[in-house]
Amino acid sequence: MTLVSGTHGAHGATYRDRGGRQVVDHYGKPERVGKAVRNVVGAIEMGYGVLAITGDDRVEFVDNAVSNRVPAEDGQGVYALLLDPQGGIETDMYVYNADERLLVFLPPERTEDVAEDWSDKVFIQDVTVEDASDEFGVFGVHGPKSTEKVASVLGGPGAPEKPLSFVRGSMVDAGVTVIASDAPLGEEGYEVVCAADDAEEVFDTLINRGLNAAPFGYRTWDALSAEAGTPLFEYELEGTVPNVLGLRNALDFEKGCYVGQEVVSRVENQGRPSRRLVGLRLDGLADATGAIDGDADPEGYDEVLPTSGAAVFAGDEAVGEVTRAAVGPASGGPIALALVRFDADLDPVTVRVDGEEVAATRAALPFVDGSARSGRIPTYPGDE
């Protein structure tokens, strides 16, 4: 459940389910709000699950489980993956060293399973794993003016600069932690963490105090992150080997063994994976999406755009499938992310929509240049 239903209701929120958790889909006019985030700043309630890991062996325990190196010092974080034995992604996560505990932010649908799995794997180590999702409110602040926004309401230290580092301060009377994001929307960004009891006041502060921020929901988040070239768990990551997605920022090739590492290392040593994530401009759908008012009819695009799994063709040959499609708030046209055969020649390229082939053009990622570059933009061996 959302922690700030009063504020959401005041702004006319429409909700949707995300991994068993209620989150805002949109507040109306999602396209206009998306442009506001691209040009100024917006704020969103994040739908994370949160695990708290305590005990003297907490850093070593989590480090042995995930694909990236867990920081040993307070105030630092890392983006990491939990893999199955075949190298497929079971979940992605952010791991933050918060002094006497690690806080792990992950998709809500994965929280319970990861908590149970890790608890079952604790033997003689001094480690305790707890689901702390109900203890925290977490809000994203994104846009070229996000630093100015945070500075206008944060008491104490200045905003953190290094991605995934954080500082502690206050907003109004609430204690907060402010994390520098890894720019998933292709813009400067932060996440603001507070106690659940302070969530309503903190979210209201982020929207209305200091520099105003436009509240936005996950419909806008999905479109902005697609424009930024950021793969997401629910669309691109789940079950995929990370090399295929070019998620090099989530992998440490020099750390000790973790589940799935052998597969990741073998694909890396081969020089390239079998597939890659690419961007497509859906030229053949421009007229259809242009005839829809995405602010008046936010769901209208859903009837026109290709769905997840739609086939991608290079000439007459099927070479992959769409993972996600949207109308970009900044690019203004229909776009898609797709997993395709690594060596496929996508000139020409089409996408099957409702049984028909629709013309498309391969596009470099990101689709638009914002105030920052996403840390998750696909990067492959040999890319310049």
Side-chain angles (χ1 to χ4, degrees), residues 127-141:
V127 174
T128 301
V129 181
E130 296 181 344
D131 186 345
S133 303
D134 294 337
E135 296 181 23
F136 300 100
V138 185
F139 305 99
V141 181

Side-chain angles (χ1 to χ4, degrees), residues 191-211:
E191 291 193 339
V192 178
V193 186
C194 65
D197 289 344
D198 295 324
E200 196 85 58
E201 183 177 27
V202 168
F203 193 46
D204 179 73
T205 296
L206 291 173
I207 295 172
N208 296 313
R209 296 177 185 265
L211 177 67

Side-chain angles (χ1 to χ4, degrees), residues 129-218:
V129 181
E130 296 181 344
D131 186 345
S133 303
D134 294 337
E135 296 181 23
F136 300 100
V138 185
F139 305 99
V141 181
H142 299 273
K145 297 290 187 181
S146 60
T147 300
E148 181 180 340
K149 168 67 207 186
V150 168
S152 72
V153 293
L154 178 62
E161 296 182 4
K162 179 184 175 184
L164 306 185
S165 67
F166 60 88
V167 297
R168 299 175 178 90
S170 62
M171 288 184 182
V172 191
D173 295 324
V176 297
T177 296
V178 177
I179 305 166
S181 81
D182 54 355
L185 304 187
E187 303 290 349
E188 296 177 15
Y190 302 89
E191 291 193 339
V192 178
V193 186
C194 65
D197 289 344
D198 295 324
E200 196 85 58
E201 183 177 27
V202 168
F203 193 46
D204 179 73
T205 296
L206 291 173
I207 295 172
N208 296 313
R209 296 177 185 265
L211 177 67
N212 286 349
F216 68 101
Y218 271 88

Side-chain angles (χ1 to χ4, degrees), residues 51-67:
L51 298 180
I53 318 297
T54 55
D56 290 344
D57 300 321
R58 61 191 179 279
V59 173
E60 179 184 10
F61 178 84
V62 177
D63 187 74
N64 287 336
V66 302
S67 65

